[in-house]
Amino acid sequence: MRTIHSFITAGALLSAVSLPAFGASTLAEYAFNIDGTVSDYLLPAPPPAGVNIAGFNTGTGLGTIQMTMAGTGLHYGGVFLDHEIDEIINTFFNETGAKSGAPSSGLSWEIDEPGWKTGDIFTNFGASNLDNTNSSLIPDDVSMALAWNFTLNPGETALLSFNVSETMPTSGFYLSQTDPASQESLYFTSSLAVQGQSVPDAGSSLALLLCAMTGIVGWRSARKP
């Protein structure tokens, strides 16, 4: 079905849209993985709870996706993107991908053919197991994914940001997708911020209280004549 969809999309665009200028990007597919639950969109649709796409253009695939996650324990949050650059002019299978820099602790990534043919990126994304490899060194259909593994303490909330831009970052880790014919590129970055203060559990609070009371009793005993 993924192979059929790819050619249907290309044919529909050819018949419905006049040829654009070089540098036009389109988003063929995108997906979210929130703690192992995958939401896959072939067409623009409302995002799952906790995901904000107000700053993201689902037509061009440019902008920022924000994901808010809460709850004590381990979490996984990621975004899969299948962009096409200048597809109408020079097809969608002539592109390559690259990564730059070293990812932060907890950040995983992958670049690959999106799974219409032989790529395993979408399978890995669905299994919450991106393999940190670039399989798009030879021109083909290219897709990218970034995901975070992290732990939240009681009272903490995580804000994950995923950004796609036509401007190359000046530092940090990022993925890129390039159309060699037009030399146009997209850059995919992500960040994780944990907000809120950790709330001690009941056992820790009781232990702290007992220590404090023991200290007070000892201090009062030492002051008695």
Side-chain angles (χ1 to χ4, degrees), residues 10 34 45 136 163 191:
I34 302 177
S136 298
N163 180 262
S191 63

Side-chain angles (χ1 to χ4, degrees), residues 6-7 84 87 90-96 117 138-142:
S6 183
F7 286 103
E84 324 295 2
E87 177 182 5
N90 56 37
T91 77
F92 58 88
F93 49 83
N94 68 327
E95 298 166 10
T96 59
K117 298 188 299 182
I138 298 175
D140 201 339
D141 189 5
V142 173

Side-chain angles (χ1 to χ4, degrees), residues 2 5-6 25 30 34 50 52 81 92 96 98 105 113 116 118 144 148 159 172-174 191 200 203-204:
R2 294 176 73 86
H5 164 75
S6 183
S25 68
Y30 63 111
I34 302 177
N52 184 348
L81 300 171
F92 58 88
T96 59
S105 177
E113 191 276 330
W116 306 111
T118 60
M144 303 181 287
W148 291 93
L159 177 63
F173 176 77
Y174 60 89
S191 63
S204 298

Side-chain angles (χ1 to χ4, degrees), residues 57 100 117 124 129-130 162 196:
N57 187 318
S100 180
K117 298 188 299 182
N124 293 341
N129 189 33
L130 297 178
F162 300 87

Side-chain angles (χ1 to χ4, degrees), residues 92-174:
F92 58 88
F93 49 83
N94 68 327
E95 298 166 10
T96 59
K99 71 102 173 177
S100 180
S104 300
S105 177
L107 178 62
S108 57
W109 62 277
E110 190 167 345
I111 308 173
D112 197 359
E113 191 276 330
W116 306 111
K117 298 188 299 182
T118 60
D120 62 5
I121 182 174
F122 197 80
T123 298
N124 293 341
F125 182 75
S128 305
N129 189 33
L130 297 178
D131 62 15
N132 301 320
T133 62
N134 177 14
S135 300
S136 298
L137 300 177
I138 298 175
D140 201 339
D141 189 5
V142 173
S143 62
M144 303 181 287
L146 290 171
W148 291 93
N149 284 284
F150 58 96
T151 301
L152 292 179
N153 295 314
E156 292 181 334
T157 300
L159 177 63
L160 291 67
S161 294
F162 300 87
N163 180 262
V164 181
S165 172
E166 294 176 326
T167 302
M168 179 187 293
T170 57
S171 62
F173 176 77
Y174 60 89

Side-chain angles (χ1 to χ4, degrees), residues 2-13:
R2 294 176 73 86
T3 303
I4 293 173
H5 164 75
S6 183
F7 286 103
I8 289 176
T9 301
L13 288 171

Side-chain angles (χ1 to χ4, degrees), residues 172-185:
F173 176 77
Y174 60 89
L175 306 181
S176 62
Q177 178 176 337
T178 300
D179 183 315
S182 62
Q183 288 298 301
E184 296 291 338
S185 297

